[in-house]
Amino acid sequence: MQEFLIRSLDASTIFTIAALGELIGQRSGILNVGVEGVMLFGATLGFITATTTGSYMLGFLLAIAIGGLLGLLHGFFSITLGGDQVVSGMGIWILGFGLTTYIGSPFAGPLGLPRIPSVFGLSPFFFLGIALTAIVWFVLSRTNLGLRIRSVGENPVVAEVSGISVTKTRYLCVVTAGMFMGLAGAIFSLDYNPVWAYNFVMGWGFIALALVFFSMWNPIILIGGSLLFGSLWQVSLNPQLLLPDLMSRYIWRTVPFTITLVMLLLMSTRWFRTKWGATKPEALGQAYVKEG
Amino acid sequence: MRIGRPTLKLQKRVYLSGWRAASISILAILVALLLFSLIFLLAGINPLTAYEEIFSYAFDNPFGLPITLNRFVFLLLCTCAFILPYKAGLWNIGMTGQFYIGSLAVYGVLLGLGFRGSEPVNIAPGFVILLMVAASMVSGALYGAIAGFFKGKLNTNEIVVTMMLNFIAFWLVSYMIKEGGPFMNPGGRGESFEMAASLRPPTFFNVPFTIFLALGFAFLLYFLLKRTKLGYQIRAFGLNPTAAEYAGVNHVSIPVLVFLLGGALAGLAGYHYFAAVPGVFKIARNYAFFGDLAFYGIICGLISQGNPLASIPVAFLFGGMSVGGRYVQGKLGMSFGVDFALMGVLMITLVAFQFFYRYRVVFSNPQKENPDARILD
């Protein structure tokens, strides 16, 4: 049972960090539906680096770097070229899925390094996740930079007029977002599940994307959602712990996805939206073209 | 928007002719192949040899060509399943899930009619085949319609919904065919029971009749989009849902309808691959491989710019390239996933090329008063 709780917290950490990245991007008005692709890239390249060099540090750094690069690419397509953000995000996801399948398959199998030591019985990334959430919350809601980010996401035209560079702010956010997602992928492949397999992120990126919608773009609520889904994922893997013999283990695997779906529907009802005032950033998904 | 100083200028396209769109698409494919050469170079393989192997196996080989044609039927169905919602401004990335559910329905029909193990003699095979086709389409349609319904009713993000449905369907298939599931193979090899031999459809050059269905649906879809009131409504909804609603287009029925029809086509792909293509006739253990190939439908749909007729040659080309990619992987000793890597590179190149569908690059002479005058000359 204790093992189960620890694994749940580990899984929640990964959901939190990936979704935090997406949240930062969305608050600035940039939707990236390719979270899964960035995570796959971070996970696979981090894994390969760590297994060939023997250094965890290099693996994480490379994963963060590739995440930042993919964020930059998404920024280039959706900010500079002003393209459809969904098309670009889809492109990043399929690129990640396709290319990492090819790049990673020679390395299929376990990592072959000693496990990352735990701190107070928990993964060190758990504390990192908490710290990052606190930082993101603080920056977004208590600092000048956060105000800039939010105003760019709500109304870029007004933001630009009041002297904020929409392009710069958005680039800053998408690159940071990509780094978070890359890091989340690396935590998945180096700490949580250090065995490379075909398409092994298994939809976590898409659940993280949905979590951002659940969180009503608030990092603190996001943690709650991540904890829920982290433990749900663990239940679906080990149903015998809580409810033995209730359903086939394959049916259990559908549960996290079904709950995501149900939550998403619930959040979208008018009842919920009027009750909680869940409003997305006004300019989310819209390209901004500077006048003149 | 300006790049450089006075010499190079970007101009927003007001109108994009079909031929211009086609030439941009062809250029995009060529650039993607050029980029993909890097992968061969990194593997120490001459890209020209590799491409020659890919194309000659896929399109000019008695073993390869039927595989290409069967893959083509699958891709064309998935592409059409993507195109119709895409025209309404919606993203159906749930072809994978609809495909799985379609295959499950086919085997459900077989199980229901008692075709597991023994062969009932009193049912005409033609009728059963018809039933299987219908079941795959209806179930795929209903599964797809979930996303459309909630998009219309609650404005939920259809990408997340269809993706969740994909994973749910994926595990449902596992449940049905593995570890004592209803469709489990008696041998317990993690695959479904085999379809009775009498139900194998007639084939032409090892390609089942589904090729005519797929081509027919592509033509029908083209006609629907171009020539009917409904098609006009779908396109209007895709361009501007709010404006379309003021003009009397229903914001619930259009999403439901496009996902319903799209899902039906993706569901039919399930019948095609697991009950009609020679040599399979069961839900294979590696069904996820076929499911993931459905994402090629997104690429074909984008590259044909949502035109069902244009998607016919595109699906044929990419069907062949994915088959050839898998072949060179074995022949030239490359690691697993060449076909998926190609999919990724094609997709990202295409995303970059979206720009050229919207803008044109104009060289202008700074000395002249009107930079566009030279083009008019």
Side-chain angles (χ1 to χ4, degrees):
Chain A
M1 200 63 199
Q2 196 193 357
E3 172 76 359
F4 169 79
L5 288 176
I6 292 173
R7 293 292 283 174
S8 302
L9 287 180
D10 287 353
S12 314
T13 305
I14 296 167
F15 282 129
T16 305
I17 295 179
L20 265 183
E22 179 68 19
L23 186 139
I24 298 171
Q26 290 199 10
R27 281 311 276 270
S28 78
I30 301 288
L31 174 72
N32 186 353
V33 293
V35 192
E36 177 98 359
V38 184
M39 282 179 77
L40 272 167
F41 257 114
T44 304
L45 294 187
F47 186 92
I48 293 174
T49 314
T51 191
T52 49
T53 63
S55 156
Y56 275 118
M57 193 44 101
L58 277 179
F60 281 111
L61 287 179
L62 195 82
I64 295 172
I66 191 76
L69 268 178
L70 288 168
L72 199 64
L73 186 70
H74 184 59
F76 179 70
F77 287 143
S78 51
I79 303 168
T80 304
L81 297 187
D84 188 330
Q85 296 175 8
V86 175
V87 177
S88 165
M90 281 285 144
I92 285 170
W93 166 54
I94 293 185
L95 178 74
F97 165 62
L99 219 49
T100 59
T101 299
Y102 173 74
I103 297 172
S105 53
F107 299 91
L111 182 64
L113 288 179
R115 292 298 295 261
I116 294 173
S118 56
V119 182
F120 306 121
L122 289 168
S123 155
F125 299 104
F126 171 73
F127 304 102
L128 181 68
I130 301 276
L132 284 176
T133 312
I135 293 170
V136 169
W137 172 81
F138 182 79
V139 169
L140 279 177
S141 58
R142 292 284 181 277
T143 65
N144 197 18
L145 175 66
L147 186 65
R148 255 170 57 193
I149 293 172
R150 284 181 290 139
S151 61
V152 160
E154 295 293 338
N155 196 332
V157 180
V158 170
E160 187 82 46
V161 170
S162 58
I164 298 167
S165 167
V166 175
T167 310
K168 271 188 201 153
T169 313
R170 286 190 164 176
Y171 261 112
L172 176 74
C173 289
V174 282
V175 172
T176 317
M179 289 163 112
F180 274 61
M181 297 169 200
L183 172 65
I187 299 174
F188 185 94
S189 69
L190 295 179
D191 185 42
Y192 176 74
N193 177 22
V195 180
W196 195 92
Y198 163 73
N199 199 14
F200 66 149
V201 178
M202 297 178 298
W204 283 39
F206 286 98
I207 294 185
L209 178 62
L211 274 172
V212 179
F213 300 135
F214 297 162
S215 73
M216 303 184 274
W217 294 271
N218 179 336
I220 307 295
I221 302 178
L222 184 70
I223 282 219
S226 301
L227 284 172
L228 175 68
F229 276 88
S231 24
L232 204 58
W233 190 272
Q234 288 306 317
V235 176
S236 79
L237 283 180
N238 309 295
Q240 72 281 2
L241 281 174
L242 290 183
L243 300 159
D245 305 326
L246 182 66
M247 292 185 286
S248 151
R249 66 190 183 98
Y250 293 113
I251 300 291
W252 269 109
R253 298 301 296 270
T254 67
V255 169
F257 302 108
T258 316
I259 304 248
T260 308
L261 205 56
V262 172
M263 292 273 288
L264 193 63
L265 297 181
L266 187 72
M267 301 262 332
S268 312
T269 55
R270 177 169 293 156
W271 168 79
F272 191 93
R273 277 181 293 152
T274 44
K275 184 161 172 131
W276 296 98
T279 46
K280 60 174 189 164
E282 196 66 31
L284 182 62
Q286 291 164 12
Y288 170 70
V289 185
K290 204 170 164 177
E291 297 282 323
Chain B
M1 201 182 193
R2 270 163 180 265
I3 288 184
R5 277 250 307 166
T7 43
L8 197 63
K9 209 179 139 202
L10 294 172
Q11 213 170 57
K12 196 156 180 137
R13 288 181 195 275
V14 182
Y15 171 75
L16 180 67
S17 74
W19 290 115
R20 185 56 59 99
S23 57
I24 296 173
S25 294
I26 291 168
L27 193 64
I29 296 173
L30 290 177
V31 169
L33 292 184
L34 204 63
L35 283 175
F36 197 73
S37 316
L38 279 177
I39 296 211
F40 289 122
L41 286 174
L42 288 174
I45 293 162
N46 182 352
L48 288 177
T49 332
Y51 283 128
E52 199 192 328
E53 289 282 356
I54 289 181
F55 283 102
S56 64
Y57 180 75
F59 301 112
D60 187 26
N61 182 306
F63 299 105
L65 190 60
I67 306 178
T68 297
L69 284 170
N70 282 319
R71 184 69 57 86
F72 155 69
V73 174
F74 171 77
L75 283 191
L76 184 58
L77 288 170
C78 290
T79 307
C80 289
F82 174 77
I83 281 180
L84 192 60
Y86 180 68
K87 275 289 176 188
L90 305 173
W91 281 75
N92 179 14
I93 58 167
M95 291 93 79
T96 308
Q98 293 142 17
F99 163 77
Y100 291 148
I101 294 293
S103 354
L104 285 183
V106 166
Y107 280 80
V109 165
L110 291 176
L111 190 70
L113 294 177
F115 275 94
R116 186 184 175 167
S118 60
E119 286 201 29
V121 277
N122 53 351
I123 306 174
F127 175 70
V128 181
I129 290 178
L130 200 67
L131 219 55
M132 287 195 287
V133 171
S136 66
M137 293 185 73
V138 170
S139 60
L142 292 177
Y143 204 63
I146 299 174
F149 177 75
F150 289 118
K151 178 74 192 177
K153 270 281 180 212
L154 303 172
N155 198 21
T156 45
N157 184 313
E158 77 279 10
I159 293 175
V160 177
V161 173
T162 45
M163 206 61 209
M164 294 300 126
L165 291 174
N166 283 349
F167 286 108
I168 293 172
F170 172 82
W171 290 111
L172 274 183
V173 177
S174 275
Y175 165 69
M176 295 304 266
I177 67 175
K178 288 179 187 168
E179 288 180 19
F183 299 164
M184 192 184 73
N185 191 298
R189 293 186 296 265
E191 53 194 20
S192 78
F193 64 89
E194 271 184 62
M195 190 180 77
S198 62
L199 297 177
R200 294 180 184 180
T203 56
F204 315 88
F205 303 104
N206 273 331
V207 180
F209 66 97
T210 37
I211 191 169
F212 300 112
L213 284 182
L215 287 171
F217 282 126
F219 276 95
L220 271 178
L221 208 58
Y222 179 80
F223 179 77
L224 172 82
L225 284 169
K226 272 272 149 93
R227 294 272 182 271
T228 65
K229 184 181 160 202
L230 181 66
Y232 178 76
Q233 287 185 334
I234 290 173
R235 285 183 291 139
F237 188 82
L239 289 173
N240 189 338
T242 322
E245 212 182 329
Y246 278 116
V249 178
N250 188 314
H251 72 286
V252 179
S253 59
I254 291 287
V256 171
L257 194 82
V258 291
F259 270 97
L260 206 63
L261 294 177
L265 296 177
L268 179 60
Y271 168 77
H272 168 72
Y273 244 131
F274 293 137
V277 170
V280 185
F281 304 124
K282 62 189 164 199
I283 300 180
R285 196 169 39 227
N286 64 343
Y287 65 94
F289 166 71
F290 296 102
D292 290 338
L293 273 180
F295 295 129
Y296 259 110
I298 301 176
I299 300 174
C300 296
L302 287 178
I303 217 159
S304 52
Q305 288 283 295
N307 181 334
L309 290 188
S311 74
I312 296 174
V314 174
F316 184 63
L317 177 69
F318 288 174
M321 281 169 53
S322 67
V323 168
R326 178 55 52 112
Y327 171 76
V328 291
Q329 171 188 313
K331 172 146 185 182
L332 305 177
M334 298 173 76
S335 63
F336 172 81
V338 173
D339 37 4
F340 287 125
L342 179 65
M343 178 163 94
V345 172
L346 271 169
M347 182 72 189
I348 205 76
T349 317
L350 201 59
V351 171
F353 268 78
Q354 290 294 314
F355 180 71
F356 295 102
Y357 292 112
R358 292 183 297 118
Y359 289 96
R360 54 191 276 187
V361 181
V362 181
F363 294 95
S364 60
N365 188 337
Q367 263 76 38
K368 286 195 178 169
E369 194 72 8
N370 179 1
D372 290 334
R374 249 174 47 177
I375 302 154
L376 296 173
D377 283 348

